[in-house]
Amino acid sequence: MPWNAPLDQGANARFGDTPTEPPGWERTPWTERGRPRGARWFAVIVAALIQLPFIVIAARDASHDPLTLAFSLLAFASSFVLLASPRHPGPTVVAVAALCAPAIAVTSGPPFSAVPLAFAVVTAVVRGARVWAWWTLAGFAIAAPVAAYLLRGQPAAMLRPLIVALILCLLLGVGEALRNRRERFREVARQVAARREAAAEAERLRIARELHDVLAHSLSQISVQAGVGLHLFDSRPEKARESLEAIKTTSSQALEEVRGVLGFLRGTEEQAARSPEPDLTRIPVLVETYQKAGLRVSYDTDLTSTPSAAAQLALYRIVQESLTNVGRHAQASSVAIRLTEIDGWYVLTVRDDGRGLPTTASGDGRTSAQSAAAGIGRGGRGMVGMRERAELLGGRFDVRPADGGGLLVEARIPSSAPRTAPSRAAS
């Protein structure tokens, strides 16, 4: 799991181990990494090497045409201006164009003096200086042919700079394609990071729900049984003994479930296999625990199919949290739990005869009972967890005052892959 990788690394550091390299899908995308060393010298070296033979030729003919040698040297020097392109792509393309334009206008033969300008144009577009590149190319397309005509005195001399300008326009298109590809990779990297973060957050919430349901229920039961045992210790020691046995059973179950969660977190599959997730078959045991505490609990089920493992876990946890709330807050004497299947929905209801919701007035004119019935999910973590469990499976969750007093908790979870299952009842 991505969210607990730092925990594992921290644990390794404490025990003197070297943290292992994270898996490939957790590494920084290539678009966010630094460029390899020497990458900025590639364009400089290529542009300089291509121009070097023509510099030698121009040097041999310098006595007849010194202007060509001077302009060729300027174009050769522009190759080293490309070193500033990664940080200042816009000004660099202007400077390179100014240095290369005279050589392109005056020299004859293949326009290798335009190679530094080609690198500068593509780099400017890829790095986001598109306006600089387009305006520089427009100025070059006007100034270079005019300079060629003025310096050489022939209209045909204008053709060579225009062809170079056309080739540079094609290279602008190449730069735009590279830039779009780079942006797509960056967007994909952002989406992957967002999905990874969302998955980590969902996993944190799931584990928080599991730990809350296990610990809140178990500690509540232990507290209730301890109170009963202390109250009956002198007058009815046999009942106090039953309370202690219930505490032992409850604490053992809680410890086993917590070990299962921790085993899953640490990736120990054997530990997770020894602690399977609770399902509907555990509800009668849960009911019996509260019955021993003195609460009248009835459990009836009428299912025509077997719910999936995820649905069974959600239904069990909702029953568990509902009984925990009844034991802690409701001051109820009886609870009725019913699980049925109606029109493709597993419908779970937990009804108690306790004090129900508070009825003090709220600031908006509604009673707190009405406010809670409208949005009980904003209450304690237990209610939020029950609502999340139902909604994550495409279901619904509702809490409202029961007819005749008390509270009614109702959860609806859609059925899937129905398989014939026997009906069972426990009370």
Side-chain angles (χ1 to χ4, degrees), residues 209-230:
R209 283 195 300 269
E210 290 294 324
L211 290 176
H212 172 272
D213 290 345
V214 171
L215 296 178
H217 163 73
S218 301
L219 293 178
S220 175
Q221 277 295 99
I222 290 172
S223 176
V224 171
Q225 294 290 350
V228 172
L230 288 174

Side-chain angles (χ1 to χ4, degrees), residues 52 54 85 199 215 219 249 269 317 353 362 401 417:
L52 192 58
F54 297 93
S85 186
L215 296 178
L219 293 178
T249 302
E269 297 180 359
R317 292 301 189 195
D353 60 353
S362 60

